Amino acid sequence: MNQPERGLWLDAGHREDLATFVDRALRLDDSAVIRLKERSDGAVVAWVATGFDVLASRVVAGRIKPADLCAGGDVLARGLAAMDSTGFVDPGFAMDSAWRGALPPETGFVHLDDVPARAVLDLAQRGVALAKEHSSAHGPPASLLDQDVVEVSSEGVGIGIPMRCVFALTAMGFLPQSGDDVSAEEMVRVRAHAAWLRIDARFGSVYRRRGAAALIS
């Protein structure tokens, strides 16, 4: 039997991981587009542009055809729910034209520092409280989202982490939702590239363009 020209094949145990990622993306935007791209080591990276001008990603074990494709989040969610015994997931019609902006590179990131996950959750909770106090019909004010809440540095290279990255981490569920579920030893890793800020948490990573405003809609 010939394989489909377009599809996703997931290794056992990774359907739930990707389904959770897609569900979180759809909570932020019910018309979210998910980009799936094969990494150089053969893993598949799922990407979504959050509503915070921040990209979110999660790595799963599997393969895709073609090696870079975009799918509607709602269609992909249904395909994941219907995954067959071979691990095949139908991603639906191509949505490549709906993706805006470039993806970060795989390599070239420098480790700057690790921040306690509990501290990040605490910042998120404070941010939510401020957002409720100052938000309008258009959501939290840009001044709150752009505020640097943590400063990290290494060997003379310093970078601020804006609140929008903290919100993206928690909105995508990349950290446990309660401090009780986070040990004092759990860290969030901060890396930097010439053009990108990257933050790695337990369940996924977020990326934000450095300098100018992100080129993500």
Side-chain angles (χ1 to χ4, degrees):
M1 182 177 178
N2 293 332
Q3 286 191 344
E5 289 298 315
R6 176 181 166 83
L8 165 67
W9 290 262
L10 284 175
D11 287 8
H14 285 259
R15 185 197 68 81
E16 185 175 348
D17 290 344
L18 185 54
T20 299
F21 177 89
V22 174
D23 176 66
R24 288 283 184 171
L26 289 170
R27 291 187 197 182
L28 291 175
D29 179 1
D30 58 12
S31 60
V33 173
I34 309 298
R35 185 168 179 177
L36 301 171
K37 188 171 183 180
E38 187 176 289
R39 206 164 61 176
S40 59
D41 62 3
V44 174
V45 186
W47 296 90
V48 69
T50 69
F52 301 103
D53 282 342
V54 175
L55 284 175
S57 73
R58 172 136 194 179
V59 180
V60 292
R63 57 189 177 87
I64 51 174
K65 189 178 179 180
D68 188 353
L69 64 86
C70 294
D74 54 346
V75 177
L76 184 58
R78 291 195 293 270
L80 287 163
M83 187 176 84
D84 65 22
S85 59
T86 69
F88 173 70
V89 176
D90 183 358
F93 294 109
M95 296 284 289
D96 297 26
S97 62
W99 184 270
R100 300 181 181 181
L103 293 179
E106 284 188 36
T107 60
F109 286 87
V110 177
H111 176 214
L112 294 182
D113 203 355
D114 294 335
V115 179
R118 284 184 178 177
V120 176
L121 282 176
D122 184 52
L123 288 168
Q125 291 166 357
R126 294 181 192 177
V128 168
L130 287 170
K132 288 180 178 178
E133 183 179 348
H134 299 289
S135 290
S136 66
H138 302 289
S143 58
L144 171 61
L145 294 175
D146 290 330
Q147 179 182 347
D148 287 342
V149 292
V150 178
E151 183 81 23
V152 297
S153 63
S154 176
E155 298 182 359
V157 178
I159 190 169
I161 299 175
M163 180 60 80
R164 61 177 70 247
C165 288
V166 174
F167 279 168
L169 275 173
T170 53
M172 288 300 296
F174 289 165
L175 285 169
Q177 300 303 293
S178 169
D180 295 337
D181 299 323
V182 181
S183 72
E185 291 74 32
E186 182 168 351
M187 296 290 167
V188 171
R189 177 151 291 186
V190 182
R191 308 174 198 255
H193 179 275
W196 294 89
L197 165 66
R198 169 181 171 178
I199 306 172
D200 301 318
R202 189 194 301 188
F203 300 121
S205 303
V206 298
Y207 296 75
R208 166 78 173 166
R209 278 197 180 275
R210 296 180 61 186
L215 303 178
I216 306 165
S217 299

